[in-house]
Amino acid sequence: MRELSLNILDIAQNSVRAEAKNIEIALLEDENGWLTFRITDNGKGMDAETVRRVSDPFYTTRTTRRVGLGLPFLRMGAEMTGGSFSIRSKPREEGEGHGTVVTAVFNMKHIDAVPLGDMVSTVCVLLQGQPDIDWLFIHSTPAGEVRLDAAELRSILGEEVSLGETEVINWIRDYLDEQYSSLNP
Amino acid sequence: MKTLAELAEIREKMKGKVAMRQNDGNETRIIVGMGTCGIAAGARPVLSALVEAVSKEKLEESVTVTQTGCIGICQYEPVVEVIEPGKDKVTYVKMTAEKAQRVVAEHIKGGKVVAEYTIGASVAK
Ligand SMILES: Nc1ncnc2c1ncn2[C@@H]1O[C@H](COP(=O)(O)OP(=O)(O)OP(=O)(O)O)[C@@H](O)[C@H]1O
Ligand SMILES: [Mg+2]
């Protein structure tokens, strides 16, 4: 994909489809140009056999199309830059603490690295589509941190007004844009 | 500076409006395919444009914009489906943000399907 943020949007949809109630999207950038993307959900998880196969492009449990592309794309993107990729998962059948953690590390200075792109749009689209999930977005950089906690915002909006309302989404867009522009030292 | 107090104001303003919404199955649904193929082909700006246009045309009381996974016609992504009560589903293909604005203005608001963007027109080519 042209932007890492599009890949992240796609990977987050996997957590939504796994019926997660809490989804944390963390981006961690260091001074040397390494970026770690980690998504943690408490969805239904996968068994060991599935985990082993999901980063292989010819594996998917979906029936509409044979090949899953999301995780292989992410893996390829990370490894092409000399970074790494990993999945940890615990299936719901195994009880307490089930869910999935996908981690991908990128060397953003590598010639094959795609830019992060528009994370604000990615977060807004996720909130618009799934306003009842407790999203936590944290983007930590050497110049400071951008953060959005859906549960916190929802507690202000109350029962009647959804986080997915256009006016709310527009406010969130501005809220994130402001945090990003105040990062520049 | 955006403050959480502003969000509380939005809440007060929206409360009444939300209560007036149709929730009787008579609303128009706009559905955007947000599977991997859709996202790779440009579904994110299409979705944003649809949400924005619906709000700009003040159609929020009777129109919802929702997301779905892969619709199964990857070569035509980004795909947008329009479902109006009592009418056949209309499938728009190879959408862009600009096309999305036109669909909202002419079809959703104006009642006239933008035939040239539909899957029928695309297949006939
Ligand atoms: N967070 C998750 N929780 C549970 N299962 C997951 C999760 N992420 C991925 N999976 C499983 O791994 C499979 C492969 O995911 P991947 O994103 O690569 O392809 P896909 O979602 O099946 O198809 P697409 O190409 O549309 O993304 C999924 O179908 C799902 O079964
Ligand atoms: Mg996927």
Side-chain angles (χ1 to χ4, degrees), chain A residues 10-11 14-15 17-18 41 43-46 50 54 59-62 65 67-72 89 100 102, chain B residues 35-37 70:
Chain A
D10 176 49
I11 297 300
N14 287 344
S15 299
R17 237 185 301 137
D41 72 52
K44 66 181 175 199
M46 291 170 267
T50 310
V54 280
Y59 178 77
T60 181
T61 56
R62 284 203 9 236
R65 189 161 37 76
V67 285
L69 295 173
L71 291 169
S89 195
T100 303
V102 175
Chain B
T36 306
C37 305
C70 178

